């Protein structure tokens, strides 16, 4: 079964029309409408199981997000109170402590691997850093009299990628630009200190790291329209970034990169018509995936997000979200958000 997973590893290359059709069907749009999907360059590198199954996970995660999400926080909204609505598909299947209230679970639907290697880290003496981003396909803040919402990620190697117009926009370029410009006017206080790179470096040199092109670990959404539902679905991603300054992570990065190079070498020698990986390749793929999970778990070990809501009467309320990585079915690991 494991070998079958990689049987078509090198053949994952869906056509643009197929991807657009899948997204349109998920959105239940009319065939006459234009469903624009943002495209990203493909890395010519081996990546983990999560990224290798890009198309499958993309479709599944997106459909999961269409289900009615659960509510975080107090059920009744009174003055100066807010709740978080988020996707928590089959959260009961995750191996989480009973005292954790899981309000969201997201699988990696894009990116990972060595997003900065090709354009930025190639001449470095160190092994490349490993990234993984998680798209918040269903995430909103609800409450009355909200003036602004500030998001702040508190751990090194964790930050946001923001897409002002959204990941999937059922509109032409002109409309997308209009939506993006209008949303940008509502964002302020954007800063990035949890990354070893600048926001400009991430934007310019990263290869398929995220849908979003705005990188920050802190930002504020100003609710100038006085809406009771601040919907950030398909506009926000949570990015994990490794760093050699952590000795444990550094050792794992070296092993991860060694596995990558061995896999590339074996694949160059594999002329089998079946395209099936050898037992040695299978073992390397498993080690690669295990290492990537261990790196992400260490990055997330103390990871939290503060959600600070300011109300029109000058008061404010803060909720702290605990980020984690939990195993679901089929040995896959999803990002979880607990309150």
């Amino acid at each position: 079964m494991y070998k079958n997973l990689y049987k078509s590893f090198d053949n994952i290359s869906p056509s643009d029309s197929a991807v657009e059709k899948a997204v349109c069907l998920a959105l239940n749009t009319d065939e006459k409408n234009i469903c624009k999907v943002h495209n990203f360059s493909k890395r010519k590198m081996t990546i983990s199981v999560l990224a290798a199954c890009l198309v499958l996970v993309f479709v599944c995660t997106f459909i999961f997000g269409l289900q009615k999400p659960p509510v975080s926080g107090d059920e009744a909204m009174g003055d100066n109170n807010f709740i978080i609505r988020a996707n928590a598909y089959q959260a009961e299947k995750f191996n989480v402590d009973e005292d954790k209230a899981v309000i969201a679970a997201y699988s990696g639907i894009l990116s990972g691997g060595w997003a900065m290697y090709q354009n930025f880290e190639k001449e470095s003496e160190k092994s490349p850093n490993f990234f993984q981003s998680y798209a918040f396909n269903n995430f909103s803040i609800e409450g009355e009299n909200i003036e602004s919402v500030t998001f702040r990620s508190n751990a090194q190697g964790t930050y946001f990628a923001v897409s002002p117009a959204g990941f999937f926009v059922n509109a032409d370029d002109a409309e997308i630009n209009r939506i993006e410009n209008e949303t940008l006017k509502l964002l302020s206080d954007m800063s990035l200190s949890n990354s070893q790179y600048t926001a400009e470096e991430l934007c310019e040199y990263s290869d398929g790291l995220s849908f979003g092109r705005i990188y920050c670990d802190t930002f504020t959404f100003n609710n100038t329209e006085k809406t009771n539902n601040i919907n950030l679905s398909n506009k926000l991603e949570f990015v994990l970034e490794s760093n050699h300054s952590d000795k444990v992570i550094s050792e794992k990065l070296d092993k991860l990169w060694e596995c990558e190079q061995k896999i590339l070498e074996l694949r160059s020698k594999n002329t089998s018509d079946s395209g099936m990986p050898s037992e040695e390749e299978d073992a390397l793929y498993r080690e690669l995936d295990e290492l990537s999970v261990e790196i992400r778990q260490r990055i997330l070990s103390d990871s939290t997000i503060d959600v600070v809501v300011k109300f029109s009467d000058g008061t404010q309320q803060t909720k702290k979200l605990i980020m984690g990585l939990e195993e679901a079915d089929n040995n896959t690991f999803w990002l979880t958000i607990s309150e």
Side-chain angles (χ1 to χ4, degrees):
M1 179 177 178
Y2 182 82
K3 290 183 178 181
N4 290 334
L5 181 63
Y6 290 96
K7 185 175 181 181
S8 302
F9 185 87
D10 293 321
N11 299 322
I12 298 178
S13 182
S15 65
D16 291 342
S17 61
V19 175
E20 291 189 7
K21 183 176 181 181
V23 176
C24 287
L25 287 174
L27 290 170
N28 194 26
T29 58
D30 190 286
E31 292 183 357
K32 294 181 181 180
N33 290 335
I34 301 173
C35 188
K36 185 175 183 62
V37 180
H38 293 278
N39 295 315
F40 302 89
S41 58
K42 297 180 180 179
R43 293 183 299 279
K44 298 179 181 179
M45 310 183 74
T46 310
I47 49 182
S48 67
V49 173
L50 283 176
C53 300
L54 168 63
V55 177
L56 174 62
V57 182
F58 159 74
V59 175
C60 291
T61 307
F62 187 65
I63 292 175
F64 296 164
L66 297 180
Q67 299 182 4
K68 183 178 180 181
V71 176
S72 163
D74 300 326
E75 291 294 335
M77 286 189 299
D79 291 337
N80 304 335
N81 189 34
F82 73 94
I83 62 174
I84 299 172
R85 291 188 181 273
N87 174 27
Y89 177 79
Q90 294 183 332
E92 70 276 4
K93 292 188 177 182
F94 291 85
N95 300 319
V96 297
D97 297 334
E98 293 182 0
D99 59 345
K100 286 185 178 180
V102 177
I103 65 171
Y106 299 101
S107 179
I109 69 173
L110 181 75
S111 85
W114 300 272
M116 296 289 283
Y117 176 73
Q118 287 291 92
N119 301 321
F120 195 71
E121 296 181 327
K122 201 165 187 177
E123 304 304 323
S124 173
E125 295 181 357
K126 297 180 179 179
S127 55
N129 276 294
F130 181 83
F131 297 80
Q132 179 75 61
S133 70
Y134 296 86
F136 288 7
N137 52 294
N138 200 310
F139 191 86
S140 62
I141 306 297
E142 296 185 11
E144 297 179 354
N145 305 314
I146 293 178
E147 185 174 278
S148 68
V149 182
T150 297
F151 296 87
R152 182 169 53 248
S153 184
N154 298 313
Q156 284 296 315
T158 66
Y159 47 91
F160 306 104
V162 183
S163 298
F167 309 155
F168 317 108
V169 184
N170 191 24
D172 57 23
D173 289 336
E175 179 64 11
I176 290 174
N177 290 334
R178 186 195 67 79
I179 296 173
E180 184 170 277
N181 291 332
E182 289 298 317
T183 304
L184 282 172
K185 295 177 183 178
L186 305 178
L187 302 178
S188 64
D189 303 324
M190 290 180 284
S191 63
L192 179 65
S193 59
N194 290 344
S195 174
Q196 62 202 289
Y197 311 98
T198 66
E200 292 75 20
E201 287 172 339
L202 289 170
C203 185
E204 182 175 357
Y205 299 114
S206 63
D207 182 11
L209 172 58
S210 65
F211 290 116
R213 301 293 290 172
I214 299 175
Y215 296 98
C216 53
D217 50 48
T218 301
F219 73 94
T220 296
F221 180 92
N222 299 290
N223 189 24
T224 58
E225 297 181 357
K226 307 301 180 184
T227 179
N228 291 338
N229 184 348
I230 299 173
N231 192 349
L232 296 174
S233 301
N234 296 327
K235 294 182 179 180
L236 195 63
E237 293 162 86
F238 192 64
V239 182
L240 306 184
E241 171 193 305
S242 67
N243 194 313
H244 279 278
S245 63
D246 184 312
K247 184 178 179 180
V248 174
I249 288 181
S250 183
E251 292 175 353
K252 294 183 184 299
L253 285 173
D254 291 341
K255 292 179 181 178
L256 191 75
W257 189 238
E258 184 179 348
C259 287
E260 164 70 17
Q261 299 309 301
K262 288 182 179 178
I263 289 173
L264 291 176
E265 181 181 353
L266 289 172
R267 286 173 59 189
S268 67
K269 297 177 180 178
N270 186 2
T271 59
S272 172
D273 293 336
S274 66
M276 295 291 290
S278 64
E279 291 185 5
E280 186 177 0
E281 284 179 87
D282 273 349
L284 287 168
Y285 279 126
R286 286 193 294 271
E287 184 177 2
L288 186 150
D289 288 328
E290 290 170 1
L291 287 166
S292 73
V293 169
E294 292 169 1
I295 290 172
R296 284 176 280 159
Q297 286 176 327
R298 187 164 180 86
I299 296 171
L300 288 167
S301 59
D302 297 311
S303 177
T304 61
I305 294 176
D306 290 336
V307 182
V308 183
V309 171
K310 291 184 178 180
F311 299 94
S312 56
D313 64 356
T315 61
Q316 71 177 42
Q317 182 182 10
T318 300
K319 292 187 179 182
K320 187 176 290 292
L321 304 179
I322 301 172
M323 315 303 287
L325 196 69
E326 302 293 346
E327 184 175 3
D329 294 337
N330 302 320
N331 296 317
T332 58
F333 286 79
W334 287 38
L335 179 79
T336 57
I337 303 177
S338 305
E339 188 177 7

